[in-house]
Amino acid sequence: MQVLLDIQKKLLPDLLEVMIKRYRILHYIKLMQPIGRRSLSANLQLSERVLRGEVTFLKDQGLVHVATAGMSITEEGEKLFLQLEDMMKDLLGLRELEKKLEADLGVKKVIVVAGNSDQDNWVKREMGRACISELKRIIEPEDVVAVMGGTTLAAVAEMMQPDPKIKKAVFVPARGGLGEQVENQANTISAELASRAGAQYRLLHVPDQISEEAYSSLVLEPSVKDILKLIQSACTVIHGIGDAKTMAKRRDSVNSFIDKLNREEAVAEAFGYYFNRSGELIHKQRTIGLQLDDLGEHKSVISVAGGSSKAEAIAAYMKYRPSDVLITDEAAAESLLNIRR
């Protein structure tokens, strides 16, 4: 396949450019359907005149359906998209990025999607789609799946679809609420995943950050003990990786703590743990839920984080604990490789 692509690049470069353009159009319609032509034109940075011609071609081929509500991909278009996906990874250089990152970061499996989630929200949805595909590959009936919060994990939940393998699973939040927007909290995301999958879920009704006295009291409550035991039994853990200062501000941390993060050059946060560029743990917040120490060999850990702004955070966290699977985007992948150089 790669030999054929190399030959085409030399003899028919225009053909490959057209194929990539039409693939991107199908891809975006699939993620954002139904979508209007003007919105599609703006997001793909194509003129409406050029896009009109491409959409007409795709419609005539039976790959796209055009209606008053917007454009959507047909069943035939869906099949073609899935057939093209693997080849496009090679053509866009994503497969090469994956292999390099696996070697550089010591991660068993890296999945790179096209784009930059710092600039385009649809890239988070594509990372979400990749995460759901990976979850369906590894999950077993009646598994417990623990999920963290955040905007990226909220995008993962949006991409969930019913599947027989997932129907008997139980989704749980990996930690309590963050006191941020409800839709980005672990409780909400675990419930959304379960609802879309037709599966079960349990919630953890406790604050994320509490005093030592409150912690000692809460963990003894029977209802809290039961859900914590279930969370710790999770076979799969899905989490994001945050920029340290952004996460501290989101949690309304006091200025003295933010000053500490600045002094110690914190760049990454995950599970309430803060890390510097060398991957050294510089602070651990007291939280109720899953701890990094709980991520033993019996758990499959999927990290989902993208955007060039997250590259330092991803690199730092992976030095501390490489995940089983890292799902990221093209911009973060390229920045990560530059950091490693």
Side-chain angles (χ1 to χ4, degrees):
M1 176 63 75
Q2 188 58 51
V3 173
L4 179 59
L5 288 175
D6 290 339
I7 293 171
Q8 287 179 320
K9 284 176 185 177
K10 292 177 181 177
L11 295 180
L12 299 164
D14 294 347
L15 177 63
L16 289 177
E17 287 174 13
V18 171
M19 186 167 68
I20 290 171
K21 179 169 62 178
R22 289 173 180 168
Y23 171 82
R24 289 191 185 279
I25 293 171
L26 277 177
H27 190 182
Y28 198 86
I29 292 174
K30 173 181 167 61
L31 286 173
M32 305 301 291
Q33 60 190 330
I35 183 171
R37 185 180 288 128
R38 183 170 297 176
S39 177
L40 186 60
S41 170
N43 280 285
L44 291 176
Q45 298 181 334
L46 290 173
S47 71
E48 287 197 50
R49 181 184 63 81
V50 170
L51 185 62
R52 189 181 300 113
E54 295 297 343
V55 169
T56 298
F57 173 83
L58 295 173
K59 180 185 174 185
D60 290 345
Q61 295 297 314
L63 305 175
V64 167
H65 175 68
V66 180
T68 306
M71 293 172 282
S72 57
I73 193 168
T74 64
E75 186 177 341
E76 189 65 28
E78 181 86 28
K79 288 179 184 175
L80 180 64
F81 175 83
L82 293 175
Q83 288 171 345
L84 276 173
E85 199 165 20
D86 270 351
M87 184 178 74
M88 295 305 293
K89 265 188 171 286
D90 287 318
L91 194 55
L92 296 172
L94 302 181
R95 191 87 65 198
E96 185 179 358
L97 283 176
E98 290 172 349
K99 290 177 180 176
K100 286 181 179 178
L101 283 179
E102 286 168 0
D104 279 13
L105 299 177
V107 178
K108 294 177 185 175
K109 183 175 184 179
V110 174
I111 299 171
V112 177
V113 305
N116 183 352
S117 54
D118 284 342
Q119 297 175 358
D120 301 303
N121 279 331
W122 66 267
V123 182
K124 285 187 179 179
R125 292 170 63 91
E126 182 60 6
M127 288 193 293
R129 187 173 74 90
C131 182
I132 295 301
S133 295
E134 183 64 18
L135 178 63
K136 289 179 178 180
R137 188 185 69 81
I138 65 175
I139 199 169
E140 297 293 340
E142 301 182 18
D143 272 0
V144 176
V145 181
V147 297
M148 298 293 280
T151 56
T152 303
L153 271 292
V156 172
E158 286 181 35
M159 303 310 291
M160 174 62 82
Q161 293 180 342
D163 188 282
K165 283 188 73 178
I166 297 180
K167 196 169 184 180
K168 292 185 179 180
V170 180
F171 288 87
V172 295
R175 65 194 298 175
L178 292 178
E180 58 175 316
Q181 292 177 308
V182 172
E183 61 268 27
N184 295 332
Q185 292 182 13
N187 269 333
T188 305
I189 291 168
S190 59
E192 180 73 8
L193 281 163
S195 175
R196 289 176 178 265
Q200 303 173 59
Y201 66 91
R202 295 278 303 277
L203 302 180
L204 179 60
H205 296 294
V206 297
D208 182 60
Q209 300 175 58
I210 55 176
S211 67
E212 187 172 349
E213 184 180 352
Y215 178 87
S216 300
S217 175
L218 273 172
V219 294
L220 294 177
E221 288 289 326
S223 60
V224 175
K225 281 180 71 175
D226 286 346
I227 183 64
L228 285 177
K229 186 177 179 181
L230 186 63
I231 290 169
Q232 287 165 354
S233 74
C235 299
T236 303
V237 179
I238 306 173
H239 74 99
I241 301 170
D243 171 77
K245 298 177 191 65
T246 301
M247 294 306 298
K249 290 175 182 175
R250 188 179 296 173
R251 291 168 181 167
D252 295 323
S253 300
V254 295
N255 288 335
S256 59
F257 177 62
I258 294 175
D259 289 341
K260 177 187 177 182
L261 295 181
N262 287 327
R263 281 195 313 272
E264 301 192 28
E265 298 183 337
V267 296
E269 185 279 338
F271 295 90
Y273 294 66
Y274 289 81
F275 308 92
N276 63 18
R277 286 183 178 83
S278 300
E280 297 167 338
L281 176 62
I282 62 173
H283 181 80
K284 177 188 179 302
Q285 291 187 318
R286 185 183 297 105
T287 59
I288 292 184
L290 209 59
Q291 310 295 313
L292 276 176
D293 293 341
D294 297 324
L295 304 184
E297 292 183 3
H298 64 289
K299 296 188 192 302
S300 295
V301 181
I302 303 174
S303 301
V304 190
S308 52
S309 64
K310 290 278 188 75
E312 274 198 326
I314 296 169
Y317 175 75
M318 291 300 163
K319 287 176 184 175
Y320 184 84
R321 190 204 184 282
S323 299
D324 298 295
V325 181
L326 168 63
I327 297 171
T328 190
D329 61 27
E330 192 176 3
E334 290 173 346
S335 295
L336 275 164
L337 291 174
N338 287 332
I339 289 172
R340 302 292 289 186
R341 291 191 193 106

